[in-house]
Every structure is written in C-alpha cells, then in structure tokens.
Amino acid sequence: MFEPLISVIIPNYNHARYLNQRIDSVLSQTYTNYEVIILDDCSTDNSKNVIEQYRNNPKVSAIEYNETNSGSTFKQWNKGFQLAKGEYIWIAESDDFCENTILDELILAIQKFPDVVIAFSSFCLVDGKGNAYKLRNDFSNEVIMYEGNAFIQNKMIAENSICNASSVLFKKDSALKISRAYMNYKACGDYLFWVMLAETGNVVHVDKCLDYFRRDGLNVTVSAMSNGLSYLENYKILRYIKGRKLMTIGQWLRLKIAYVEKILTDNIEEKGRIAALNKWDSLHLIRLGVVRGLYWHLFS
C-alpha cells in the first residue's frame, strides 16, 4: 500500500466564518495518514476561537499564531513547509472545502505514474454561502499525466491552470529545493510556485470536482484583479517562463496583445490600469496596431 504521510497546511487570515467547514472537510478524509498544521496570520476576527476548538484533535500536529501579519499568504506557505513532517503537502486554503476523497484520489493518481511532483484535481466555484456557480458538467473523470515542461508550455502560459492551491497535492522535497522567489508576491506567487515545481518532475490532473473554490468578492484573488496587481505579477512570471525558453516569440507577442486588450477592457482601478499598461508595454502597444500587424505578418 502506498500511504505516505501528508502534511495538510491550513493558512488562515480572517476566515473565521468558513473555518469550521474547512477544517471539518479535512478531518473527514477517507485517507488517514496525514497531519494538520493550522497557521493564523494575525487575524482580527474570531478565528482563534474557532481554531482552538481543534487544539486537542489527534490529527492536529501544530497551531501557530503570528503576532504581526506577514503580508503574504506565500510566506505562510513557506512557514508551513518548515513545520511539515510529511512526504507530500496539501495547502487547504481556509475559505475552501472539499470532498472527503480528495487525498485518496490524488495519492492514487500519483501512484500510477513515475516522478510525479504535482497532482491536482478539478474544482467547482462556490459563493460566500457555499452555493455552486459556473458549475462545469463536462468532467471526464480521467487521470492525465504531463511531463513537467510540457505542462508549463501547454497549460501555464495562456493562464494558470492550477488556480486553486486547495486542489493540489505536491512533493515536499521538490518544493524545498526551488527558489523562494514566490514569497515576494502578494497575489500570484502560487502561479510562479507551480511553474518552478513543474520544472522538477511530472504533473498529473484528476479531471473530477474534488475541491470547492470559494469566490466571495472579498478574497485576495478578486482584490488583485481589481487593483491591477495580478497583471503586474503575471508579467514577471511570464517573463520567467520566457527566460527558461519554454515560450516562443510568437507566444510572447500574442500574450502582450491579449494582456493589453484585457487591461484596457477589464474593470480595474485607473491607477492600477496605468501601472499594468506601463509594465506590459510603455507605449500601450500603440493601441495594439503595430504589434498585432507584426505578429500576423510573421506568424500567420
């Protein structure tokens, strides 16, 4: 039986209203060889009261409270990595929840293929009350394996295909070997983390809804989109991918066009819009005309 120890890290900041559902969905797993590490980043709500309800649970190996806010969930990730005793890590974000079989199914997927460093499931979006929306009905239930660099090239350039950490199980040793650059990001550090991790081994995707990703209008993802931060951070990440020669010139030009068009049309605060446009192209791609014409001339 392949039953490695899994360290479940629950990084929390002001999600008291969701914590019981989150922690209970972890503790109800059919897979039993895991430990739970709860990290609170100086919450100002009653998170501590909720967390302390689990103090004596035998699965909870550590509870840590920051005295000051770290300013980045990715710093909390790294803190959890240092505390983790498991061979694999699952970051169970504090506002999400999951099926009780997610660990069993991800471990089974890892077992099927060699050198797997990332296993992730598909997810369903839910609102603040946990009600599903934008629900997919075309899950294949298949397990798909990708070589790491091929995964980056095919699944991580147009978008971050692993956009919810709660759906992912990954190898701790590989995570500890990659650069800590992701800790310097406020919104998109996970994107860079998955890219760098995928460079170290294979990736498997379980195309089944095992994870429920909450979008309540208050989380970091929504905020980062509205103030333009995600566009600034994505620029750095995509430049990293380009620098690793995992992207063609044609793909880079196409991205520049797509990002500028999106920045110009998305609902972004004006200050953030200007900063994002200046990062993606200081001339705003001359309203896209010159570069679009050059792209189609060279690559169409």
Side-chain angles (χ1 to χ4, degrees):
M1 294 291 290
F2 180 62
E3 295 183 348
L5 178 65
I6 297 172
S7 294
V8 185
I9 300 168
I10 304 177
N12 174 68
Y13 177 66
N14 283 351
H15 281 152
R17 60 197 179 280
Y18 305 134
L19 270 175
N20 283 125
Q21 185 179 28
R22 166 76 282 178
I23 298 172
D24 289 345
S25 74
V26 169
L27 295 175
S28 67
Q29 288 299 299
T30 55
Y31 187 89
T32 58
N33 191 23
Y34 65 90
E35 63 169 350
V36 178
I37 299 166
I38 304 174
L39 305 177
D40 185 79
D41 202 7
C42 198
S43 291
T44 57
D45 62 5
N46 68 325
S47 288
K48 186 173 184 177
N49 293 336
V50 178
I51 291 168
E52 287 301 316
Q53 296 171 18
Y54 300 89
R55 169 70 67 175
N56 297 318
N57 189 288
K59 287 294 186 184
V60 177
S61 62
I63 294 175
E64 298 273 341
Y65 297 102
N66 284 351
E67 293 185 2
T68 57
N69 184 265
S70 71
S72 169
T73 188
F74 308 115
K75 292 180 181 178
Q76 290 294 89
W77 284 21
N78 188 64
K79 181 178 179 179
F81 298 167
Q82 309 310 314
L83 294 169
K85 302 181 184 73
E87 182 179 351
Y88 291 88
I89 290 176
W90 174 30
I91 299 172
E93 298 284 10
S94 55
D95 54 343
D96 299 329
F97 58 100
C98 61
E99 296 289 342
N100 66 354
T101 59
I102 186 171
L103 290 183
D104 259 327
E105 299 204 42
L106 292 178
I107 282 292
L108 183 61
I110 289 171
Q111 191 175 6
K112 288 182 176 180
F113 302 98
D115 304 320
V116 173
V117 294
I118 300 173
F120 71 104
S121 77
S122 298
F123 61 83
C124 295
L125 288 170
V126 298
D127 62 20
K129 295 180 180 179
N131 299 315
Y133 69 98
K134 295 184 180 178
L135 186 63
R136 277 183 58 190
N137 57 10
D138 60 345
F139 298 108
S140 69
N141 295 325
E142 295 178 346
V143 178
I144 308 160
M145 195 278 285
Y146 302 88
E147 184 276 327
N149 284 346
F151 179 76
I152 296 168
Q153 291 170 324
N154 295 312
K155 297 293 182 179
M156 299 296 279
I157 291 178
E159 61 181 350
N160 175 12
S161 291
I162 310 179
C163 59
N164 184 223
S166 296
S167 68
V168 190
L169 189 62
F170 58 91
K171 200 162 188 178
K172 183 181 74 173
D173 285 351
S174 299
L176 292 176
K177 289 175 183 175
I178 65 174
S179 166
R180 301 291 184 273
Y182 64 89
M183 292 172 56
N184 299 321
Y185 288 66
K186 298 283 188 182
C188 302
D190 57 333
Y191 189 178
L192 180 60
F193 181 80
W194 307 132
V195 167
M196 292 191 297
L197 197 55
E199 290 184 278
T200 70
N202 295 328
V203 180
V204 291
H205 175 210
V206 180
D207 191 19
K208 184 176 183 179
C209 180
L210 300 173
D211 167 49
Y212 297 91
F213 181 18
R214 198 183 307 268
R215 301 292 292 271
D216 63 1
L218 301 174
N219 58 27
V220 173
T221 304
V222 175
S223 175
M225 290 293 290
S226 65
N227 64 22
L229 178 62
S230 64
Y231 298 100
L232 297 173
E233 294 191 349
N234 279 350
Y235 178 83
K236 292 193 289 184
I237 295 163
L238 290 164
R239 288 281 296 183
Y240 170 84
I241 295 173
K242 181 174 179 287
R244 301 292 286 179
K245 302 188 184 305
L246 296 172
M247 182 191 308
T248 67
I249 294 174
Q251 285 176 311
W252 178 243
L253 289 176
R254 184 184 297 175
L255 280 170
K256 289 174 77 72
I257 292 169
Y259 265 86
V260 171
E261 287 182 328
K262 193 169 177 59
I263 291 165
L264 288 170
T265 57
D266 271 4
N267 184 21
I268 308 173
E269 297 168 8
E270 192 59 26
K271 183 178 179 181
R273 190 190 312 279
I274 292 170
L277 284 171
N278 285 337
K279 177 60 70 175
W280 274 98
D281 194 291
S282 58
L283 297 177
H284 303 173
L285 299 184
I286 312 177
R287 283 296 181 179
L288 314 180
V290 172
V291 171
R292 179 186 279 120
L294 177 62
Y295 173 81
W296 290 115
H297 175 71
L298 292 175
F299 302 102
S300 62

